[in-house]
Amino acid sequence: MSENIIENVTRFINLSENEEKFFTDLLTLQTFPKKTVLLREGEICQFEGYIQKGCVRVYYLDDNGFEVTILFAIEDWWISDIASFQEQKPSRLYIETLEDSEIYMLNPTTKEKLLTEIPKFERVFRMLVQRNLSTLQSRLVNTISKSASDRYLEFIKVYPSIPQRVAQYYIASYLGVSKEFVSTIRKRLASKEK
């Protein structure tokens, strides 16, 4: 059952059988129905999670109370509010499942135990943070420099399965456009494919 997360981790480090067992024994597999809020603004994030199955989004509420999606995460991705988790300070984010989801969880205690017992896991989490930072930087540059149409094309390149899995208004909130715009561009792209 935990072979996917082992494959994810062993992209960065090699593990002995004992290390694999120690790691997987620390994990808690939790199942969440669609529309479960895993973290709310003001709460302290108590998890770093690996998505075994499902789709999750991270968002915040802007000054007008509108949801602004900043990230989607699907199978084989990790999810957390890194700043809140690491610093144990209140989050500004919400994390919500968009599909029924199965997530392997580490809490601050189990993660610290893992890093103390198997220090090479520091590399795993450093690589995950670097990948996350790279994704966010790319997203920021795209938001500033590209047209809405180009941002949508970039989005479907990065997240090819998301448009079939989530409502258009979530994609619109991610791109900073109206859901009508997303509908229009999808129709335009579909007519080009014919």
Side-chain angles (χ1 to χ4, degrees):
M1 183 84 173
S2 60
E3 60 194 45
N4 292 348
I5 194 170
I6 295 299
E7 286 177 22
N8 180 278
V9 165
T10 55
R11 289 178 199 148
F12 308 114
I13 59 172
N14 293 318
L15 293 174
S16 69
E17 280 185 38
N18 287 343
E19 289 169 332
E20 272 187 32
K21 179 166 177 15
F22 185 84
F23 173 51
T24 56
D25 285 350
L26 290 175
L27 297 169
T28 306
L29 180 62
Q30 296 186 24
T31 57
F32 301 98
K34 178 180 181 176
K35 302 298 253 168
T36 300
V37 178
L38 305 175
L39 178 69
R40 287 180 169 76
E41 180 180 12
E43 296 177 348
I44 296 174
C45 186
Q46 296 297 329
F47 67 89
E48 285 191 7
Y50 170 85
I51 302 172
Q52 174 73 18
K53 175 182 168 233
C55 180
V56 175
R57 78 177 176 124
V58 179
Y59 67 97
Y60 70 93
L61 298 179
D62 70 11
D63 292 339
N64 297 314
F66 293 109
E67 295 177 1
V68 179
T69 301
I70 59 171
L71 179 74
F72 293 101
I74 55 174
E75 292 84 5
D76 202 35
W77 287 48
W78 288 79
I79 194 77
S80 183
D81 176 339
I82 297 168
S84 177
F85 182 86
Q86 284 301 124
E87 299 167 28
Q88 288 295 284
K89 66 179 190 179
S91 179
R92 292 198 54 223
L93 304 175
Y94 292 81
I95 300 177
E96 174 187 34
T97 60
L98 297 180
E99 298 175 345
D100 293 346
S101 299
E102 296 175 2
I103 304 175
Y104 283 105
M105 301 287 215
L106 285 171
N107 62 44
T109 303
T110 55
K111 183 179 178 187
E112 191 55 39
K113 201 174 193 179
L114 176 64
L115 297 177
T116 301
E117 187 67 28
I118 311 173
K120 63 185 164 184
F121 264 92
E122 291 275 358
R123 174 176 165 74
V124 172
F125 292 104
R126 177 176 55 82
M127 298 302 287
L128 292 172
V129 167
Q130 287 176 339
R131 186 175 75 179
N132 193 7
L133 179 59
S134 174
T135 300
L136 290 173
Q137 284 178 334
S138 178
R139 176 159 190 235
L140 178 62
V141 169
N142 287 342
T143 300
I144 293 168
S145 65
K146 292 189 175 181
S147 69
S149 297
D150 287 343
R151 287 197 313 268
Y152 180 80
L153 292 172
E154 183 71 21
F155 172 80
I156 58 175
K157 191 166 91 178
V158 173
Y159 296 110
S161 70
I162 294 289
Q164 291 77 43
R165 295 173 76 170
V166 307
Q168 284 188 36
Y169 57 88
Y170 291 137
I171 296 170
S173 83
Y174 177 87
L175 296 172
V177 298
S178 69
K179 63 182 181 188
E180 292 78 18
F181 176 84
V182 172
S183 180
T184 301
I185 194 163
R186 286 173 87 167
K187 286 177 187 166
R188 196 179 315 143
L189 289 172
S191 70
K192 283 183 180 178
E193 291 174 2
K194 291 180 180 176

